[in-house]
Amino acid sequence: MANSESGQPLAVAPQAYGALWRGLLRPLRTVAQPAAAVALALACGAALLAFNGYDARAVIDVMVLGVFQDTRSIAEILLKATPLILIGVGLCVAFRCSIWNIGAEGQFYAGAAAATAIGVSFNGLGAWLYVPLVMLAGALAGAAWAAIAGLLKIYFRASEIVTTIMLNYIALIMTSYLVTGPLRDAAAAYPQSARLVQEAWMPRILPPTRLHIGILVALVLAVVMYVFLFRSARGYALRVVGISPDAARYAGISVPRNIMISICLSGSMAGLAGAFEIAGVTRRLFQSISPGYGFEGIAVALLANNNPIGAIFSGLLFAVLRSGSELMQITAQIPQVLVLVIQGIVILSVVGFAVLRIPSLRPSE
Amino acid sequence: MMITRRGCLASAVAAAALIAAGSALAEGAPFKMGLLVPGSVSEEGWNRIGFNALKGVEAELGAEVSYVELQQNPASFEKAFHDFASQGYNVILGHGFEFQDAALAVAPEYPDTVFLISSSYISEGNVIGLNTDTSQPFYLMGVIAAKTGKKAGLVGGMEIPPIKEAFEGFTNGVRSVAPDFPISEVYIGNFTDATATKEASLSLISQGADFVLPNASGATVGGFQAAAESGENVKTFSIFSDFTSVAPKNILGLYIADYARGVIRIVGDIKNGKKPTTNVEFGLKDADVMQFTYNDQAANPVTENVRKYVDEVKAKIAAGEIKTRQK
């Protein structure tokens, strides 16, 4: 969004107008392509619905009416957006460093598992201590899980794309082990952890809805990460490594160090998202705690052109789609596969528009 | 709060009317049932069972039905219950134990809606668990095994409650006839690998088992293949579906469970204003849900004497005089 790295509005009169125009146009241009991608995708989706014999217009009405019908619906969207924004923002940082972290799903699981382990263990800590502790556990576990891929890349030149994908499976299997073994709720017939101690629950901010403080943390972190990436020397160094490791090395910027910073930051955000999902929503660990947030987060970052502020909006968009998909099934009997196809088209068209943008993404030659 | 909910209900109804295009509203409030499944209903198996129940309710009770596939995503369960309940659905079936927590959280807000949960023993207000007590038919199979064989071999998928309860019933049935009758139990560790079931069954047969009983969902069929290949003296029992064609000489009888029938009956009662007051457990007393029949084409069909004895046991189980497993 506000990607205006230029912007010196206080110039002399004739130039001031030009600068002002540029200042206004620039964010507009940043928004234009993702917006066009989304518009195209939704148009395709509507055509697809019509082609399959559904009244696309009515479906859209239902979706808009239903998704935004009352406080609860809006709270549910924000609830769904929380992990997507957190993961998306984290991935913006990694992708800006050209670290292709495909392992947010696994890092989410690592964070969820650690948050559960901490969240079921203590009594009488008091929420003011317990809640931050659970968040910290999730973030650290996510960072540690991501760090494995970072170290493998630095010391063995192992592609992080491969290692992070593999680590996803390991995290999933380890979670299954935990809920069928050490963390299993003895009273429950099916594999799940015990319920978290009540002091560890994320405070809800809009009762009676389930919305919890996670959304606020996500919004704050998005701004913090934007400032870090685009307004700090460290963030600048990280982006230089992303654009050209050789140039970074020549300039005395440590490449391994920035690789670790970026992958651990993105891992900690995914881990934090996992902790929020456990302590804020489900309050138990399950074998399949994530419906693919980690992968959807990649699309969130991509649609936002790796801009953390943009990730807020793309995260919200995907949350609306997800929320809408359930409602479309219930009210319009649209099979979930069709909804998944529409989501797929959104991602495809986003990628398609990103290709148009490649010259501006490519390092200057 | 009330005003908001009424408002949201009104807008939801209006929204539904936009697409429904039916005259349902003109006839007054129709009876509506919703279904939550943890996966796709287009594949055979657990989710299809729930879907069949929903379709049965639609066909036989004339209810308006709708379902949502939630792909094992616990965070979305509560919202889906709200979505249905706020639109005035009378019955919502959460098809699987995993829906229990979410239903309990949502239910107090919608006292007029009945929340049914499959595979659950819950009974709290308007949240009612539905269960099929598989240990009962398996108890009968145990009786038959002990009356007709020398050693029994059980092949399970994974060691989860539905499977363990079934085998517990079988073992108790065997013990009621012959306390020292040997029983071996093996788990293959999944519900998909029919070859593993077959190998495990063959190995049990080679160890002297002449009655093998597989219970591994999609992988069950391997046990019947093993029996068919091991000669006419190996006996087995077809469970949940009709597998007679796989081992026509070996299968002594069929136990078929029709969960949909049970759900249709319960939902029909609810429609007529008779809400269940406790959790519902389908057993041999529910002849529409549990069918237990014999295969007369088997090489060694169950004799009249044994059948008579089994009928007596069955009557006692149905009457609650015999407990087939620990509760």
Side-chain angles (χ1 to χ4, degrees):
Chain A
M1 299 276 101
N3 196 7
S4 52
E5 283 133 278
S6 76
Q8 282 213 326
L10 296 171
V12 257
Q15 287 135 334
Y17 282 113
L20 190 66
W21 269 119
R22 275 200 301 279
L24 284 174
L25 274 178
R26 189 151 191 162
L28 205 67
R29 266 213 307 271
T30 322
V31 175
Q33 278 178 342
V38 170
L40 177 72
L42 292 181
C44 288
L48 194 72
L49 284 174
F51 184 73
N52 278 281
Y54 296 95
D55 183 349
R57 173 76 204 288
V59 169
I60 292 166
D61 282 354
V62 165
M63 196 163 151
V64 174
L65 268 178
V67 164
F68 301 107
Q69 73 185 356
D70 56 8
T71 326
R72 169 172 291 127
S73 326
I74 293 167
E76 285 290 337
I77 290 170
L78 296 176
L79 194 74
K80 282 199 167 68
T82 304
L84 294 176
I85 293 174
L86 277 169
I87 292 171
V89 166
L91 290 179
C92 288
V93 177
F95 294 166
R96 281 283 171 182
C97 189
S98 288
I99 292 296
W100 305 111
N101 178 7
I102 315 295
E105 183 82 354
Q107 292 140 23
F108 180 95
Y109 270 91
T116 310
I118 296 293
V120 297
S121 298
F122 305 104
N123 258 318
L125 268 188
W128 57 274
L129 183 61
Y130 215 160
V131 166
L133 191 66
V134 165
M135 287 164 61
L136 192 69
L140 285 179
W145 201 248
I148 299 172
L151 293 172
L152 287 172
K153 182 176 179 73
I154 293 166
Y155 289 106
F156 300 103
R157 292 170 163 271
S159 159
E160 77 281 7
I161 298 177
V162 175
T163 54
T164 50
I165 290 177
M166 300 301 227
L167 283 164
N168 282 341
Y169 293 107
I170 300 177
L172 242 157
I173 292 166
M174 278 177 61
T175 307
S176 294
Y177 163 72
L178 286 174
V179 295
T180 51
L183 285 179
R184 178 167 189 161
D185 180 5
Y190 288 80
Q192 60 182 31
S193 79
R195 201 182 279 268
L196 260 60
V197 178
Q198 191 157 359
E199 283 110 45
W201 295 2
M202 290 300 145
R204 295 193 165 171
I205 54 176
L206 197 66
T209 73
R210 302 191 285 166
L211 192 63
H212 56 83
I213 55 166
I215 186 68
L216 304 177
V217 176
L219 295 178
V220 169
L221 282 175
V223 175
V224 169
M225 286 301 147
Y226 176 81
V227 171
F228 166 74
L229 271 180
F230 299 108
R231 293 281 183 272
S232 82
R234 278 177 196 276
Y236 180 75
L238 189 143
R239 283 186 294 137
V240 172
V241 171
I243 292 165
S244 168
D246 289 336
R249 232 173 263 123
Y250 184 72
I253 298 171
S254 166
V255 174
R257 188 192 151 100
N258 279 292
I259 290 177
M260 286 311 283
I261 290 177
S262 64
I263 202 162
C264 287
L265 269 179
S266 64
S268 68
M269 301 280 270
L272 185 60
F276 278 135
E277 197 71 358
I278 293 291
V281 184
T282 67
R283 288 166 183 173
R284 289 180 196 271
L285 184 63
F286 296 88
Q287 272 171 308
S288 54
I289 194 72
S290 164
Y293 288 136
F295 301 114
E296 216 162 311
I298 297 171
V300 168
L302 206 67
L303 179 58
N305 192 20
N306 298 331
N307 181 325
I309 302 288
I312 297 174
F313 296 94
S314 54
L316 283 170
L317 174 75
F318 278 92
V320 169
L321 282 176
R322 209 172 246 285
S323 219
S325 85
E326 285 157 15
L327 208 72
M328 278 157 75
Q329 283 189 72
I330 290 175
T331 43
Q333 265 100 59
I334 292 173
Q336 198 192 21
V337 278
L338 212 55
V339 179
L340 290 176
V341 168
I342 295 173
Q343 288 183 345
I345 295 174
V346 172
I347 294 173
L348 266 182
S349 79
V350 166
V351 174
F353 273 86
V355 170
L356 288 179
R357 220 161 35 192
I358 272 186
S360 66
L361 280 178
R362 211 160 39 196
S364 48
E365 287 158 51
Chain B
M1 186 57 226
M2 256 335 276
I3 296 160
T4 348
R5 205 183 302 152
R6 213 173 280 150
C8 96
L9 196 81
S11 65
V13 168
L18 272 172
I19 40 155
S23 55
L25 280 172
E27 304 161 13
F31 187 81
K32 297 205 279 185
M33 173 174 174
L35 168 74
L36 281 63
V37 282
S40 170
V41 299
S42 50
E43 290 154 21
E44 278 299 334
W46 175 250
N47 299 311
R48 178 65 74 80
I49 291 172
F51 184 67
N52 287 342
L54 186 77
K55 283 291 169 195
V57 168
E58 181 183 32
E60 295 188 21
L61 304 178
E64 257 181 43
V65 300
S66 185
Y67 66 98
V68 57
E69 300 171 338
L70 291 162
Q71 293 197 328
Q72 294 284 356
N73 174 15
S76 64
F77 295 170
E78 261 188 65
K79 174 175 179 286
F81 277 121
H82 271 301
D83 284 347
F84 274 126
S86 66
Q87 293 182 28
Y89 276 73
N90 308 73
V91 178
I92 307 168
L93 171 62
H95 192 47
F97 175 83
E98 60 265 52
F99 293 108
Q100 184 178 300
D101 278 2
L104 284 172
V106 175
E109 251 187 83
Y110 303 97
D112 297 332
T113 303
V114 180
F115 296 78
L116 300 176
I117 308 293
S118 296
S119 286
S120 155
Y121 297 105
I122 193 86
S123 172
E124 242 183 83
N126 48 340
V127 184
I128 304 288
L130 303 181
N131 223 336
T132 314
D133 188 354
T134 316
S135 74
Q136 296 186 4
F138 273 68
Y139 187 98
L140 298 183
M141 294 174 214
V143 168
I144 294 169
K147 288 268 185 195
T148 61
K150 290 186 212 56
K151 182 181 178 184
L154 304 174
V155 182
M158 288 165 89
E159 222 175 326
I160 61 166
I163 308 288
K164 281 200 299 193
E165 285 166 15
F167 286 174
E168 188 188 341
F170 182 88
T171 308
N172 289 335
V174 167
R175 295 275 174 268
S176 73
V177 175
D180 298 323
F181 192 86
I183 304 170
S184 302
E185 211 171 298
V186 181
Y187 289 92
I188 60 166
N190 64 66
F191 287 109
T192 47
D193 190 352
T195 313
T197 311
K198 185 176 173 183
E199 290 304 319
S201 306
L202 285 174
S203 132
L204 287 170
I205 292 167
S206 74
Q207 289 165 30
D210 58 357
F211 191 102
V212 288
L213 193 53
N215 185 7
S217 188
T220 300
V221 66
F224 303 126
Q225 291 165 349
E229 286 174 19
S230 304
E232 295 183 346
N233 289 324
V234 175
K235 306 176 199 74
T236 181
F237 226 88
S238 181
I239 56 165
F240 299 119
S241 315
D242 186 356
F243 288 100
T244 316
S245 60
V246 182
K249 293 286 169 204
N250 310 80
I251 287 177
L252 296 183
L254 287 80
Y255 155 56
I256 290 175
D258 192 348
Y259 188 61
R261 286 254 59 89
V263 172
I264 292 166
R265 174 148 53 82
I266 299 296
V267 175
D269 286 351
I270 295 170
K271 193 184 173 195
N272 296 328
K274 277 200 317 199
K275 203 188 86 179
T277 46
T278 61
N279 68 309
V280 178
E281 189 146 34
F282 300 117
L284 290 170
K285 66 178 187 326
D286 306 287
D288 53 344
V289 181
M290 283 194 182
Q291 291 143 28
F292 198 88
T293 53
Y294 297 99
N295 172 26
D296 293 322
Q297 314 306 316
N300 306 296
V302 182
T303 61
E304 277 309 317
N305 275 343
V306 176
R307 289 188 195 195
K308 208 173 282 170
Y309 182 75
V310 169
D311 283 343
E312 285 167 22
V313 175
K314 193 173 158 187
K316 281 185 190 164
I317 295 173
E321 290 165 31
I322 294 179
K323 274 179 74 176
T324 53
R325 66 180 170 86
Q326 297 283 321
K327 297 266 165 160

